[in-house]
Amino acid sequence: MYAGHIKGAPAPFAVPLTTLLTTDGHRIAADQDFYGLGAVLAQSGLPVDWTPPTS
C-alpha cells in the first residue's frame, strides 16, 4: 500500500502499490514502483489533469 497526503490536497490517499525488483545475483540492482496516478488524484480530491505547482 502506498499512502500519503499531497500538499494542498483536501484529502489523503492510500492505493495499492507493486514493486518490481531487478536482481544481479543475490543483490538488488534496481527497483521500480507502480501505482495508479488516477486513483491517487481521485482519492486526494484533485482533478485528473492536476500538476504540482512550480514554485
Side-chain angles (χ1 to χ4, degrees):
M1 191 63 65
Y2 177 50
H5 194 139
I6 298 172
K7 185 177 180 179
F13 65 87
V15 297
L17 168 79
T18 298
T19 299
L20 176 65
L21 299 175
T22 303
T23 58
D24 181 10
H26 293 287
R27 297 176 185 243
I28 296 172
D31 67 278
Q32 294 176 291
D33 296 328
F34 298 91
Y35 57 88
L37 178 59
V40 169
L41 295 175
Q43 288 184 25
S44 296
L46 297 168
V48 175
D49 61 349
W50 179 83
T51 55
T54 56
S55 56

